[in-house]
Amino acid sequence: NPVTGVTTTINRINEPFPTRQDLLNFAVAGPLLGMVSSIFLLYVGLAITPNTKEALPFLPLVPISLLKMSTLASGLVDSVLGSGFVEGFQSESEGKLVPLSPFAIAGFYGMIVNALSMIPFGKTDGGRTATALFGRSGALSIGYLPVFASLYLITKYQDTTSATLFIPAFLYISTFQNEQELPCRNEVDEPDIFSSLIAGFAWFLMVLILTPV
């Protein structure tokens, strides 16, 4: 991916899980932990970023358009550094750069990559989560939502960094992870309520992270 350097990872399941609960636990754990830890790292990185232009020569530079590709990231930047921090570097040039701590940059990219893996489509962790929660037929129907959402974002933000992120991600997932996961040995018993709420929270974070400003 031109934006992150990597779209996501493919972790194959060679044997079916005993129950949908086991599949859900496996699918949600990695991306959720990755997103939460990356958000924390982004926050810490922003907190230690000097709030002055004098720091410009000493810190890595990030395009403002890159930060705007995530509602959550933009909100954290405005909350921790103040809205005037980014506006101070804003100009008519779309590629205007803003200095950030390396921890903030690492947290930002980690957040994006883990959120991409929670997209509910095919054999992504998000697709496995949908299969565990709604069954195979339900997951197949839900899989159309990210397709239409991606096409909408690509069309709306076709000249921005967001399009550069979503186009390769959409092509990669639809090519290499478009099949459904192996059926569980027990497809009847549904996951418990608590695990379902955790999965819903993970999807909520995904939407906040991947929705542009």
Side-chain angles (χ1 to χ4, degrees):
N1 193 295
V3 177
T4 61
V6 61
T7 299
T8 181
T9 59
I10 299 178
N11 49 350
R12 302 186 184 278
I13 298 177
N14 296 323
E15 297 182 1
F17 281 92
T19 64
R20 287 162 56 184
Q21 177 71 56
D22 296 316
L23 177 61
L24 180 62
N25 294 341
F26 172 82
V28 173
L32 180 58
L33 180 60
M35 286 188 291
V36 171
S37 59
S38 296
I39 292 170
F40 176 75
L41 185 60
L42 172 60
Y43 177 84
V44 171
L46 293 173
I48 64 176
T49 297
N51 196 358
T52 60
K53 284 192 176 182
E54 286 72 16
L56 183 61
F58 306 103
L59 292 175
L61 302 177
V62 176
I64 294 176
S65 59
L66 186 68
L67 298 176
K68 289 185 175 181
M69 65 181 287
S70 171
T71 298
L72 182 57
S74 298
L76 278 176
V77 171
D78 291 341
S79 176
V80 177
L81 297 177
S83 57
F85 179 77
V86 173
E87 292 174 359
F89 295 93
Q90 184 72 63
S91 70
E92 296 180 357
S93 173
E94 181 67 20
K96 191 61 179 178
L97 304 176
V98 60
L100 290 179
S101 164
F103 291 103
I105 298 173
F108 176 82
Y109 281 113
M111 187 175 67
I112 295 294
V113 171
N114 282 283
L116 287 174
S117 69
M118 273 304 293
I119 294 177
F121 184 82
K123 287 188 175 182
T124 65
D125 285 318
R128 291 165 177 161
T129 300
T131 300
L133 289 176
F134 307 110
R136 299 178 66 79
S137 59
L140 188 62
S141 301
I142 291 174
Y144 291 107
L145 294 178
V147 173
F148 292 130
S150 297
L151 292 176
Y152 169 76
L153 292 173
I154 290 171
T155 303
K156 183 176 181 180
Y157 300 95
Q158 55 184 330
D159 297 326
T160 66
T161 308
S162 296
T164 310
L165 171 72
F166 284 110
I167 292 175
F170 175 77
L171 294 175
Y172 180 87
I173 293 174
S174 60
T175 302
F176 297 104
Q177 296 180 286
N178 58 345
E179 299 179 354
Q180 282 194 300
E181 193 51 77
L182 294 173
C184 299
R185 295 191 183 96
N186 180 357
E187 288 278 320
V188 177
D189 295 338
E190 299 181 354
D192 59 61
I193 297 298
F194 179 75
S195 299
S196 301
L197 292 176
I198 294 296
F201 176 68
W203 272 333
F204 174 72
L205 285 181
M206 177 205 70
V207 172
L208 286 181
I209 292 170
L210 295 181
T211 302
V213 176

